[in-house]
Structures are given as structure tokens and as C-alpha cells.
Amino acid sequence: MRFNPVECGKRMKALRESKNLTQMQLAEQLNISLNHVKALEHARRLFSIDLVIEISAFFDVSLDYLLLGKTKSTSHVHSELNAAIEILERIKKEL
């Protein structure tokens, strides 16, 4: 898996739009210029480490997602949750 600045910019734009923010509003939130936001979204400029961390925190997404588009697999979470539910149901029947 490799970093693709175009796809990263698209993810950033989608996150911004999901919060109904304009580019200007995001620029103000991140304390960067409007042109900087535009350049990031259109892959004309790369993120600094500090800025990508700040963007990740602002949108409450992982760096893996923002930079690489990776999402956590939730299949293990579902199986653990189902196991916990089964245990609780057994305990409930014993009471």
C-alpha cells in the first residue's frame, strides 16, 4: 500500500464536506490559508507531519485512514461482541 496524494486529498475533502465545512472554515480551524487547503485537496501540496496529525485529530480519523485509506476490519469486533452477548445471556438465565 502506498501513499497517493490525490486520494488523500479526496478523503480530506470528503471529511470536510461530511462536516458541512467550507474550505475557508477548515482553513480557519487548522490555522492555515485557504490556498493551502485547496492545494492539499487537489494534491498540489503535501502534508507536513504536524498538519496531517492535526487534520486526523480534527476529523477524528486514524492516520492510516487519512493517508492510506485503510479502515479497520470490524469482523473481529463483531465476533467478540457476539461472544460477550452469549456470556451475558447465559449469566442472565442462571439468575
Side-chain angles (χ1 to χ4, degrees):
M1 189 166 262
R2 303 188 106 180
F3 172 67
N4 182 329
V6 172
E7 293 302 315
C8 183
K10 287 179 183 178
R11 281 188 291 279
M12 181 179 152
K13 180 180 180 180
L15 289 165
R16 175 180 60 77
E17 289 175 342
S18 75
K19 288 197 172 222
N20 296 315
L21 295 172
T22 64
Q23 289 177 325
M24 187 65 198
Q25 290 169 322
L26 181 59
E28 289 170 355
Q29 290 291 320
L30 299 174
N31 200 29
I32 60 176
S33 72
L34 173 61
N35 286 336
H36 196 155
V37 170
K38 289 179 179 182
L40 292 169
E41 286 187 0
H42 292 97
R44 292 188 309 264
R45 189 167 184 177
L46 295 179
F47 299 86
S48 70
I49 297 292
D50 291 335
L51 183 56
V52 76
I53 291 169
E54 190 172 342
I55 292 168
S56 172
F58 178 77
F59 288 115
D60 193 27
V61 296
S62 71
L63 288 170
D64 278 350
Y65 173 74
L66 187 59
L67 294 173
L68 303 173
K70 286 178 73 175
T71 56
K72 291 182 181 179
S73 171
T74 58
S75 61
H76 72 283
V77 173
H78 290 293
S79 63
E80 289 178 12
L81 184 57
N82 286 334
I85 290 170
E86 287 177 19
I87 291 169
L88 290 172
E89 287 176 349
R90 274 188 257 139
I91 291 172
K92 185 179 175 181
K93 287 178 183 177
E94 291 174 6
L95 295 177

